[in-house]
Amino acid sequence: MESPKPYSPTNKVRIVTAASLFDGHDAAINVMRRIIQATGCEVIHLGHNRSVMEVVDCAIQEDAQAIAMTSYQGGHVEYLTYMRQLLDERGAPHIKIFAGGGGTILPTEIEQLHANGVTRVYSPDDGRAMGLQGMINDVVERSDYVPPVSEALADRVAARDPIAIAQAISCAERGEHAKIAFVEGAKRAPVLGITGTGGAGKSSLTDELVRRFLLDHPDKTIAVVSVDPSKRKTGGALLGDRIRMNSVSDARVYMRSFATREANVAINPHVRDAIAILSYAGYDLVIVETAGIGQSDSQITEVSDVSMYVMTPEYGAATQLEKIDMIDYADIIALNKFDKRGALDALRDVRKQYQRSRQLFSQSIDVMPVYGTIASQFNDPGANTLYRALNDLLIQRCNLDWTSSYEITDEMSEKIYIIPPDRTRYLAEIVENNKRYDAFVEQQAELARSIWRIQGAIDQLASVDEH
Amino acid sequence: MSTSTTTSTTSKHAAEAASPASAIATLEQRKADLEIQLHHDVRAMLASWEAKKQSYQGEFYSYTVRGKEIRVANHTESLAHTRVPKISLPAFKDWGEIVRWCMQENVPGEFPFTAGVYPFKRTNEDPTRMFAGEGGPERTNKRFHYLSKGMAAARLSTAFDSVTLYGEDPDYRPDIYGKIGNSGVSVASLDDAKKLYSGFDLCAPTTSVSMTINGPAPMLLAFFMNAAIDQECEKEIVRRGMEDEIRAKIDAIYRERGIARPVYRHGDGSTELPDGNAGLGLMLLGVTGDQVLPPDVYDECKQRALQNVRGTVQADILKEDQAQNTCIFSTEFALRMMGDVQEYFINKAVRNFYSVSISGYHIAEAGANPITQLAFTLSNGFTFVEYYLSRGMNINDFAPNLSFFFSNGVDPEYSVIGRVARKIWSKAIKNMYGGNERSQMLKYHIQTSGRSLHAQEIDFNDIRTTLQALYAIYDNCNSLHTNAYDEAITTPTEESVRRAVAIQLIINRELGLAKNENPLQGSFIIEELTDLVEEAVYTEFKRISERGGVLGAMENMYQRNKIQEESLYYETLKHTGEYPIIGVNTFLSSKGSPTVIPEEVIRSTTDEKEQQIGNVRSVQQRSGDATAEALDALRSTAIRNGNIFDALMEAAKVCSLGQMTHALYEVGGQYRRTM
């Protein structure tokens, strides 16, 4: 069968993708999300094992046009019906629901789900008849609409209604600034800007900071704005930060993912509008996390009160540090993945570079605000110290009346090893060990064969002797 | 060569060159020099070779297992009165061949265990597991009793519903509600575990229980162990004639609580026990032995239960992160708990229970080819070894508690998967880790591939399963599960499961060649494939090693990506038809072999769901402060690096699964998804 051409959407289409609750089957949704992205959409991928509440909160906060789910573990009728119900209750009857689950969703159930307001459930037969691209074209075409904007937007944003905030931000993205004129003059919320190289663990670290903020300030709210690059070729984007954020399911958190929608910029031009809207909504802190696209990340400092640069010890030679703009601009530097080889040297070198770039030679390099962290490690002492430093700096810079009771220790981040570092070669050692045995077997077998042959020769000679 | 034109001139020539006597002396000297270089084990091997062959030729073979002498008939007789040897040995004369064979192949039961870890197969127990899991514990209990009726041994294999697999409690929230008791049994408390296995003596040597659970494995294991302990308490109560006294105590406890005692009750309301269930395990439903027995008696029962209980818990968190995604805790925390379980097993002398089933099945089901399956699984296994050693455990204390689980497809490599696995494992454990013989023995369960079953022409699936089962049995697996042909489209029925079991029984009992227990040995292709696969596994080990070992490679999602690539390769070849699948992409019927869609599938009933929700809520509330205290103790044990499983054994008595999971999230961190 010939594959149809990808549909070309006229609007910016945003689709949330996920696999159902208690369902680890993510192979199909991973294939789908890639095709959706290649069809020019912005995909907010949540991965597997997601509750209806998490998916619905995400779709609303992200002002998505549609949700695409897979479910292979049963309970799909209840799950998808509940999703429709919750979307309707939260004022988002326009958000479409698409789903698939191979043969686990029976034809009768598909009918029932369509009757319950699920836009379309694709069966294995649909898959064969339409092909993957055909199915995705159907999804995208049906999602190619401008999402509605609520009445009384200003009041609802002020009341911190997530759907209104999401719509206001979309208005900014569409250039409908008149609709959000109300935000002008609002007192600006403190903004923490985070940037860094791809793969440095920005979103994990951001998640860890949000988790600590929520624990430390039980009555405060926080918004996270995250920016990922758009693909120039298709206009699509994979907005992949949300999948890492375990703490955003808290009601005190709002998160919005942006695609840059322009090449070669680290920050979406509408991030400033988003900050204004979130300030108007009264969030106590706004975190802006931007795509790490190398050496032009310093734009982040223009929108933030306190800025942080996330890097890892794996930057190469110390001279490479001289090329990193953000070391000159960031208030604080997180040296994440501090368990990597050479971390202590890196810490010293980055501190030196920080000191040099600011001519702080009168101070000890130990007081330079560079922190080793292991975001992947639970309750990491380095991440605790970093959180506290950021918190204190925000209070000082923005004159905040926050009180932090977050306790930190003097400990450095230290990896609690599962496999001790001097044992990481164990598999290579096993290969060497087993091959040594094999070589020994061959050597012994050859010896035994020689002995046997010599014995044979002796026997032959003895028989010659007898004649 | 020009001089040796005829035999007579040659011998004349030789005779002229040196006398035979002096030549013999020279050769004897050379032989003696070489013999010195021969390792003493090898010398012994050669010296005992003829005797070894003899031992398989007499009427009986005798050997000892844990001090007990076992005598096994060496032959079976066919209808034509052929005496078929159970173990057939090579007719080699060349010492080189004998040495190589003894050191790389050897008879079953001897290092390197290539042909099998035991000298002979068990005769009283087919390696058939009775697989079940649906609805509430009562329904699955009934099914277990149905499946094991008339069988010499109860080998129960438990599938849990997805709510349980992710460590949560049944609830009315619709996204949870729809999944209660579907595709597996719902188990959220100790009461559920007691009902699930009631009527089976969990400490009898003929009972073995396997639990397919990973993320929340430590909690489910704690439920299971407590169920076994309370069964031992129950037996002790009966022995001492204390039934009335104990009943009165339990009644008093529930009078004070002001609620009804939990009962064994089916979804339809009937409280009748299924055929075969005499009620063992239900006397202490709703309480634990320590609430009604003196501490010393309880401790004795506990010790006895732990030392006798037999089974396996899957608990392999590495393959979850690499392939199956039922991770709930951060990987490091989950590994730490696995270590705690193993440490607890050592301290309490839990010897007959496998603390982990190191699984390749899910890696293969996710799309990995057999070499990748084997390499990833073994490398995961060695990672557990390294981790447990680093915690100060002794190799011989834990290695016998490790077991393996593979998938068996139709690919050629599957004909030698057990051989290669056993060989690699034993060589490494013996020579690198200094483990004893018991530690060197890799034991595995194998299941025919679910992925190889198709939703088109589903009748053909049994043929595939039969071939895979044949591979597995010839390869001397320790335990085998054959899939039902309709598994590709629905939950298997009693009829399809019976057919699947028949596949194994026909091979084991009817197929003549299978009476021989080493039919693969001596085949040129099997030996060559063994070498090729072994080498390929080492190549993969080196790739993983270059990435910092298993955990280092996982950080960069190496395993996950490789599995996906291989899956895509298969799908592509299947799609283009280069990889032929009969009745799927070739040999289609006149109707085009359409996908079979089931009319309906077995689902749990509303009554069962409501009952599970009611039960778990009661468990959460009935123990008052004891629940909160147990959860606090659990959290503080985790924070001060104590043995978490020790604390879970206590918490499991008074907490629900979800309560324990959430308490641990606070101190260990939740799993963070990756893309």
Side-chain angles (χ1 to χ4, degrees):
Chain A
M1 189 179 58
E2 215 169 297
S3 186
K5 279 205 163 48
Y7 171 81
S8 204
T10 42
N11 297 288
K12 275 291 169 196
V13 176
R14 294 162 65 84
I15 296 180
V16 175
T17 55
S20 166
L21 187 62
F22 308 145
D23 187 348
H25 301 87
D26 61 354
I29 196 67
N30 272 322
V31 172
M32 299 300 169
R33 68 159 169 89
R34 288 196 178 98
I35 306 175
I36 296 174
Q37 188 196 341
T39 309
C41 299
E42 292 173 1
V43 175
I44 303 110
H45 183 56
L46 293 179
H48 64 279
N49 182 27
R50 290 294 186 175
S51 70
V52 168
M53 192 86 85
E54 285 175 296
V55 178
V56 165
D57 279 343
C58 167
I60 286 176
Q61 292 179 8
E62 298 287 355
D63 199 28
Q65 282 100 331
I67 295 167
M69 297 290 310
T70 57
S71 169
Y72 288 91
Q73 200 70 315
H76 37 265
V77 175
E78 290 89 343
Y79 187 95
L80 294 169
T81 305
Y82 179 46
M83 181 174 277
R84 180 74 277 156
Q85 187 193 333
L86 217 53
L87 282 169
D88 294 353
E89 276 172 19
R90 304 266 173 100
H94 59 277
I95 297 180
K96 308 205 164 180
I97 305 174
F98 300 93
T104 65
I105 308 183
L106 303 177
T108 51
E109 294 174 327
I110 293 181
E111 278 170 40
Q112 191 188 341
L113 284 167
H114 289 169
N116 291 353
V118 173
T119 316
R120 177 92 195 248
V121 179
Y122 298 93
S123 71
D125 282 340
D126 292 332
R128 260 190 299 279
M130 307 166 85
L132 288 177
Q133 186 66 56
M135 277 196 290
I136 298 306
N137 281 353
D138 188 47
V139 167
V140 178
E141 197 173 341
R142 289 172 192 236
S143 310
D144 190 8
Y145 66 93
V146 180
V149 178
S150 305
E151 299 290 321
L153 199 60
D155 294 347
R156 294 183 62 184
V157 169
R160 229 180 286 131
D161 177 355
I163 195 160
I165 297 169
Q167 289 169 346
I169 294 174
S170 296
C171 286
E173 280 205 289
R174 288 194 296 266
E176 299 166 1
H177 284 94
K179 289 183 184 163
I180 50 162
F182 59 86
V183 302
E184 268 170 48
K187 186 178 179 295
R188 200 167 169 280
V191 176
L192 167 65
I194 300 177
T195 189
T197 47
K202 278 193 306 293
S203 8
S204 304
L205 197 56
T206 306
D207 186 38
E208 287 298 319
L209 295 174
V210 172
R211 198 175 68 79
R212 285 167 174 79
F213 179 88
L214 294 172
L215 277 175
D216 190 23
H217 304 289
D219 54 347
K220 297 217 180 317
T221 54
I222 183 167
V224 180
V225 172
S226 152
V227 190
D228 270 320
S230 295
K231 288 267 194 186
R232 254 200 299 181
K233 196 170 167 191
T234 59
L238 174 62
L239 309 180
D241 291 318
R242 203 161 183 134
I243 193 174
R244 311 280 298 156
M245 305 282 289
N246 285 336
S247 54
V248 295
S249 55
D250 194 289
R252 289 187 282 140
V253 184
Y254 174 90
M255 178 167 180
R256 173 71 175 234
S257 313
F258 280 91
T260 54
R261 295 191 182 177
E262 264 175 77
N264 298 323
V265 293
I267 208 159
N268 177 298
H270 304 295
V271 163
R272 284 170 201 278
D273 295 324
I275 292 170
I277 293 162
L278 293 164
S279 300
Y280 186 81
Y283 280 93
D284 294 302
L285 176 65
V286 177
I287 293 182
V288 180
E289 184 197 328
T290 66
I293 53 163
Q295 271 118 53
S296 70
D297 299 336
S298 46
Q299 289 169 322
I300 188 84
T301 55
E302 296 161 19
V303 298
S304 46
D305 299 301
V306 170
S307 63
M308 175 171 84
Y309 182 65
V310 186
M311 60 186 292
T312 72
E314 297 177 313
Y315 49 78
T319 46
Q320 293 298 323
L321 295 174
E322 293 170 36
K323 303 180 194 167
I324 302 175
D325 235 6
M326 270 307 284
I327 296 184
D328 303 351
Y329 289 102
D331 296 306
I332 283 179
I333 294 171
L335 200 55
N336 196 30
K337 304 196 178 179
F338 200 60
D339 49 327
K340 294 284 175 208
R341 202 176 301 203
L344 287 173
D345 293 342
L347 183 66
R348 190 200 55 225
D349 290 345
V350 175
R351 280 181 170 164
K352 267 194 198 155
Q353 183 61 28
Y354 189 98
Q355 183 190 44
R356 204 178 300 131
S357 72
R358 289 166 175 78
Q359 307 281 318
L360 298 172
F361 299 111
S362 60
Q363 297 172 27
S364 152
I365 72 157
D366 295 335
V367 302
M368 297 299 130
V370 181
Y371 302 91
T373 60
I374 307 173
S376 61
Q377 188 160 286
F378 186 76
N379 202 21
D380 175 57
N384 288 343
T385 311
L386 173 73
Y387 165 75
R388 187 60 197 257
L390 285 168
N391 196 69
D392 291 350
L393 192 59
L394 277 165
I395 291 173
Q396 180 203 327
R397 283 269 170 86
C398 306
N399 269 322
L400 305 172
D401 58 356
W402 299 356
T403 47
S404 173
S405 54
Y406 207 81
E407 279 180 36
I408 54 162
T409 52
D410 277 343
E411 292 168 76
M412 256 221 209
S413 266
E414 200 179 325
K415 176 83 171 171
I416 298 153
Y417 285 103
I418 293 295
I419 304 295
D422 61 345
R423 289 292 321 144
T424 51
R425 273 195 82 254
Y426 60 105
L427 289 173
E429 285 176 24
I430 287 167
V431 175
E432 288 154 15
N433 168 77
N434 287 10
K435 292 203 165 181
R436 204 158 36 237
Y437 175 81
D438 293 345
F440 173 68
V441 170
E442 283 313 307
Q443 185 252 348
Q444 291 287 306
E446 275 315 310
L447 260 179
R449 170 168 298 124
S450 299
I451 295 168
W452 178 70
R453 282 154 68 196
I454 292 170
Q455 186 58 53
I458 293 170
D459 293 348
Q460 289 300 318
L461 281 172
S463 73
V464 168
D465 211 19
E466 280 163 23
H467 287 298
Chain B
M1 291 310 260
S2 56
T3 53
S4 44
T5 45
T6 64
T7 334
S8 59
T9 51
T10 312
S11 47
K12 210 172 143 197
H13 197 81
E16 277 167 11
S19 74
S22 75
I24 287 173
T26 313
L27 288 170
E28 289 286 7
Q29 183 55 49
R30 175 71 181 148
K31 188 179 153 205
D33 290 348
L34 292 180
E35 269 172 347
I36 291 168
Q37 297 173 48
L38 211 55
H39 194 271
H40 53 84
D41 287 347
V42 177
R43 225 173 291 161
M45 206 177 282
L46 286 166
S48 61
W49 174 245
E50 284 307 320
K52 188 176 201 165
K53 284 176 75 169
Q54 284 298 321
S55 68
Y56 289 95
Q57 278 158 14
E59 198 172 345
F60 292 103
Y61 182 94
S62 66
Y63 61 105
T64 46
V65 172
R66 295 196 211 173
K68 256 200 325 206
E69 198 200 357
I70 297 181
R71 261 156 62 93
V72 183
N74 266 328
H75 298 84
T76 57
E77 197 177 284
S78 74
L79 290 178
H81 307 295
T82 306
R83 288 177 80 231
V84 180
K86 281 195 184 153
I87 304 298
S88 175
L89 269 71
F92 296 139
K93 295 275 184 246
D94 180 337
W95 289 7
E97 297 299 340
I98 294 168
V99 166
R100 185 187 289 118
W101 193 85
C102 287
M103 295 179 84
Q104 293 287 12
E105 284 280 334
N106 217 342
V107 291
E110 289 185 30
F111 183 84
F113 306 101
T114 306
V117 288
Y118 298 118
F120 290 93
K121 292 188 182 185
R122 281 167 181 259
T123 46
N124 57 346
E125 194 176 318
D126 284 315
T128 309
R129 279 214 171 266
M130 292 126 200
F131 194 75
E134 57 192 32
E138 289 88 347
R139 193 192 324 178
T140 303
N141 176 252
K142 190 178 171 189
R143 180 90 170 183
F144 276 145
H145 281 286
Y146 169 83
L147 289 171
S148 51
K149 206 174 152 190
M151 298 291 238
R155 292 166 52 81
L156 314 177
S157 178
T158 323
F160 296 96
D161 72 0
S162 58
V163 185
T164 311
L165 291 177
Y166 281 87
E168 295 289 340
D169 287 337
D171 194 88
Y172 283 111
R173 223 178 73 197
D175 48 353
I176 297 177
Y177 188 82
K179 293 182 165 129
I180 304 170
N182 280 323
S183 325
V185 59
S186 161
V187 175
S189 68
L190 175 55
D191 284 351
D192 288 345
K194 286 181 177 177
K195 293 177 197 168
L196 177 62
Y197 302 114
S198 65
F200 295 102
D201 184 349
L202 295 175
C203 297
T206 49
T207 307
S208 111
V209 173
S210 137
M211 291 185 282
T212 305
I213 188 92
N214 294 283
M219 287 85 98
L220 268 293
L221 186 62
F223 286 149
F224 174 83
M225 290 297 181
N226 273 297
I229 293 165
D230 283 349
Q231 274 196 1
E232 257 337 271
C233 292
E234 179 175 334
K235 280 154 59 183
E236 189 63 31
I237 290 164
V238 173
R239 235 186 323 263
R240 295 181 181 216
M242 296 164 71
E243 291 103 314
D244 291 341
E245 182 194 331
I246 299 297
R247 287 215 175 85
K249 276 190 185 173
I250 300 173
D251 286 344
I253 291 170
Y254 273 84
R255 248 196 319 278
E256 198 182 320
R257 284 176 179 168
I259 51 169
R261 255 193 87 185
V263 285
Y264 182 105
R265 190 181 76 97
H266 289 280
D268 62 8
S270 94
T271 52
E272 203 185 321
L273 295 178
D275 201 10
N277 185 346
L280 175 62
L282 296 175
M283 183 192 282
L284 298 179
L285 201 58
V287 293
T288 45
D290 53 349
Q291 285 177 282
V292 293
L293 283 173
D296 56 326
V297 178
Y298 178 77
D299 286 344
E300 271 171 40
C301 292
K302 180 173 177 179
Q303 195 182 352
R304 200 159 55 230
L306 292 175
Q307 289 176 2
N308 285 296
V309 71
R310 189 178 155 209
T312 311
V313 58
Q314 195 164 78
D316 172 7
I317 211 66
L318 292 177
K319 69 96 177 45
E320 287 301 326
D321 202 351
Q322 293 160 9
Q324 192 173 248
N325 287 337
T326 67
C327 313
I328 57 174
F329 299 111
S330 66
T331 303
E332 284 165 24
F333 187 66
L335 280 166
R336 180 183 147 196
M337 285 199 286
M338 285 182 67
D340 288 349
V341 168
Q342 183 56 55
E343 210 164 62
Y344 184 92
F345 277 20
I346 294 172
N347 293 339
K348 307 278 180 188
V350 181
R351 289 196 197 285
N352 302 320
F353 207 95
Y354 295 111
S355 69
V356 58
S357 169
I358 305 157
S359 306
Y361 191 82
H362 319 85
I363 293 172
E365 285 294 290
N369 69 38
I371 288 170
T372 301
Q373 176 192 179
L374 185 55
F376 285 1
T377 310
L378 287 174
S379 62
N380 290 346
F382 287 121
T383 306
F384 295 128
V385 169
E386 287 284 344
Y387 173 49
Y388 295 172
L389 287 173
S390 80
R391 282 184 56 160
M393 297 183 225
N394 182 301
I395 183 88
N396 295 328
D397 286 339
F398 68 79
N401 284 120
L402 308 178
S403 68
F404 286 80
F405 174 27
F406 294 114
S407 165
N408 212 13
V410 290
D411 308 50
E413 295 88 348
Y414 282 121
S415 59
V416 297
I417 190 167
R419 288 167 50 82
V420 178
R422 284 185 293 255
K423 216 171 159 181
I424 293 178
W425 186 257
S426 66
K427 287 186 208 171
I429 298 293
K430 182 180 181 179
N431 298 324
M432 189 162 129
Y433 295 107
N436 62 21
E437 194 155 83
R438 210 167 152 235
S439 302
Q440 294 161 24
M441 290 156 62
L442 177 145
K443 285 158 283 178
Y444 70 96
H445 171 69
I446 195 159
Q447 181 174 340
T448 56
S449 160
R451 199 163 180 266
S452 74
L453 305 185
H454 299 280
Q456 291 159 266
E457 302 269 14
I458 60 173
D459 287 349
F460 294 1
N461 284 335
D462 272 341
I463 303 169
R464 298 187 176 97
T465 298
T466 304
L467 295 170
Q468 294 164 11
L470 192 64
Y471 268 170
I473 289 170
Y474 279 177
D475 199 11
N476 231 335
C477 65
N478 302 91
S479 165
L480 168 67
H481 175 84
T482 31
N483 288 329
Y485 71 96
D486 52 359
E487 256 169 58
I489 59 161
T490 184
T491 316
T493 61
E494 282 179 8
E495 177 266 346
S496 66
V497 168
R498 203 174 128 73
R499 272 170 69 169
V501 172
I503 291 173
Q504 294 193 38
L505 295 179
I506 289 168
I507 298 173
N508 281 328
R509 304 207 187 150
E510 294 184 26
L511 187 71
L513 186 55
K515 305 282 183 209
N516 167 269
E517 297 183 5
N518 66 340
L520 298 181
Q521 286 195 297
S523 151
F524 296 138
I525 179 61
I526 289 294
E527 287 180 357
E528 191 166 345
L529 262 180
T530 305
D531 291 345
L532 287 170
V533 174
E534 187 178 358
E535 187 58 37
V537 168
Y538 293 146
T539 306
E540 189 55 49
F541 274 15
K542 284 190 263 181
R543 285 193 202 112
I544 300 171
S545 190
E546 280 160 17
R547 288 161 175 82
V550 167
L551 298 171
M554 277 164 71
E555 261 180 55
N556 299 320
M557 293 197 290
Y558 169 74
Q559 289 94 334
R560 212 172 248 267
N561 289 334
K562 191 162 166 70
I563 293 167
Q564 277 178 23
E565 268 169 42
E566 289 173 4
S567 174
L568 198 64
Y569 181 64
Y570 164 83
E571 293 295 340
T572 310
L573 295 193
K574 176 179 155 190
H575 185 72
T576 61
E578 277 173 85
Y579 184 85
I581 303 173
I582 308 305
V584 174
N585 62 11
T586 183
F587 194 64
L588 301 184
S589 71
S590 55
K591 291 178 189 133
S593 299
T595 305
V596 181
I597 292 164
E599 291 295 309
E600 54 172 348
V601 294
I602 302 162
R603 300 258 161 89
S604 55
T605 65
T606 304
D607 285 339
E608 285 173 323
K609 291 176 186 165
E610 305 268 326
Q611 190 180 330
Q612 284 305 99
I613 297 171
N615 286 347
V616 78
R617 293 198 171 172
S618 157
V619 167
Q620 287 169 350
Q621 286 149 15
R622 74 183 180 207
S623 302
D625 292 343
T627 302
E629 282 161 19
L631 293 172
D632 280 342
L634 180 58
R635 278 185 289 252
S636 73
T637 304
I639 291 169
R640 55 179 174 72
N641 282 323
N643 189 307
I644 296 173
F645 189 65
D646 226 342
L648 279 172
M649 282 295 287
E650 291 309 308
K653 294 175 181 173
V654 289
C655 304
S656 72
L657 171 59
Q659 286 178 316
M660 292 188 281
T661 303
H662 286 272
L664 290 173
Y665 280 159
E666 290 170 39
V667 290
Q670 247 177 301
Y671 178 71
R672 191 179 271 123
R673 296 167 190 79
T674 48
M675 199 159 32

